């Protein structure tokens, strides 16, 4: 037996009501309570910094003279006897240059002469060169005299020589334009000079160890 088509869906019934037949109202949606935002304080005035104009540069001062040697001695460090050994440099009230030369007293003469090196003469103050020592290569009976006369070294033996005599002469002269004795410096200059030489001596002492 054939079934007929399904009929249309009927309308939706009304929303249910409460016991008295009324639908209750929807309550309001709650929300958090935010306190009031405080007022922003006023911005203080911006300070205005004014830079003054750059002043003129002064002239560069001249280079001062080198200060005297302090407690740290000036040292020459040489390889001697299989070790690095120090030799202390000589200090003097004046700045001296020295030169070593030789001259001969011929046979049958009591004197010998030799010119002072012209470059050594130029390096020293005029008339400041002196003979510090004159040592013959053989003993002489008496005192050997020596001096500088008109640009020449002159040595005189006590008697006429029977054989040629070689004489080693040590000269010293004051450095040209540096004639002040015991120049005066400040304590600060002395401290800087001392620090300089301590640094130099330490660097020289460390160099052989660093090179192995």
């Amino acid at each position: 037996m054939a079934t007929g088509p399904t009929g249309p869906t009927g309308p939706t019934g009304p929303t249910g009501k409460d016991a008295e037949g009324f639908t209750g109202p929807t309550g309001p949606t709650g929300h958090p309570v935010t306190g009031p935002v405080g007022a922003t304080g006023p911005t203080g005035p911006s300070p205005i910094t004014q830079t003054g104009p750059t002043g003129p540069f002064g002239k560069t001062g001249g280079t001062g003279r080198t200060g005297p040697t302090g407690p740290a001695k000036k040292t020459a460090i040489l390889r001697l006897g299989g070790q690095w050994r120090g030799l202390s440099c000589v200090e003097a009230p004046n700045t001296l240059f020295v030169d070593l030369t030789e001259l001969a007293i011929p046979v049958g003469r009591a004197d010998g002469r030799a010119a002072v090196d012209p470059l050594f003469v130029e390096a020293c103050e005029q008339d400041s060169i002196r003979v510090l020592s004159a040592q013959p290569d053989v003993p002489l009976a008496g005192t050997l005299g020596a001096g500088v006369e008109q640009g020449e070294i002159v040595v005189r033996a006590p008697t006429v020589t029977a054989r040629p005599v070689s004489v080693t002469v040590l000269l010293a002269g004051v450095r040209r334009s540096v004639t002040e004795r015991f120049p005066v410096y400040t304590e600060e200059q002395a401290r800087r000079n001392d620090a300089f030489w301590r640094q130099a001596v330490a660097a020289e002492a460390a160099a052989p160890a660093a090179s192995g």
Side-chain angles (χ1 to χ4, degrees):
M1 182 174 182
T3 304
T6 303
T9 302
T12 301
T15 302
K17 300 180 183 300
D18 58 12
E20 298 180 355
F22 297 98
T23 302
T26 302
T29 302
H31 60 82
V33 179
T34 303
V37 178
T40 302
T43 303
S46 299
I48 299 176
T49 303
Q50 295 182 346
T51 303
T54 303
F57 290 98
K59 294 182 178 180
T60 303
T63 302
R65 68 176 63 189
T66 302
T69 301
K73 64 182 181 295
K74 288 180 281 187
T75 306
I77 302 175
L78 305 177
R79 186 77 172 178
L80 304 173
Q83 291 182 306
W84 291 100
R85 298 178 181 270
L87 287 77
S88 297
C89 298
V90 176
E91 304 290 354
N94 289 103
T95 303
L96 300 178
F97 289 152
V98 296
D99 191 21
L100 196 65
T101 187
E102 291 187 2
L103 58 81
I105 302 177
V107 176
R109 295 280 301 272
D111 66 290
R113 294 172 179 267
V116 181
D117 188 323
L119 292 179
F120 187 70
V121 173
E122 186 178 354
C124 298
E125 278 290 304
Q126 185 176 5
D127 299 326
S128 70
I129 298 175
R130 299 288 186 272
V131 174
L132 298 185
S133 68
Q135 182 64 42
D137 63 342
V138 294
L140 297 177
T143 302
L144 182 69
V148 177
E149 299 176 2
Q150 298 181 347
E152 285 188 321
I153 307 167
V154 181
V155 296
R156 293 185 174 89
T159 59
V160 174
T161 62
R163 52 159 290 180
V165 177
S166 177
V167 182
T168 301
V169 179
L170 178 63
L171 301 175
V174 177
R175 177 178 174 175
R176 183 178 295 275
S177 302
V178 185
T179 59
E180 183 180 4
R181 286 173 54 85
F182 295 107
V184 178
Y185 297 95
T186 65
E187 182 178 358
E188 178 60 26
Q189 287 174 314
R191 292 180 184 277
R192 290 201 304 267
N193 185 70
D194 179 45
F196 170 79
W197 284 114
R198 287 183 186 278
Q199 183 180 18
V201 171
E204 289 182 357
S211 60

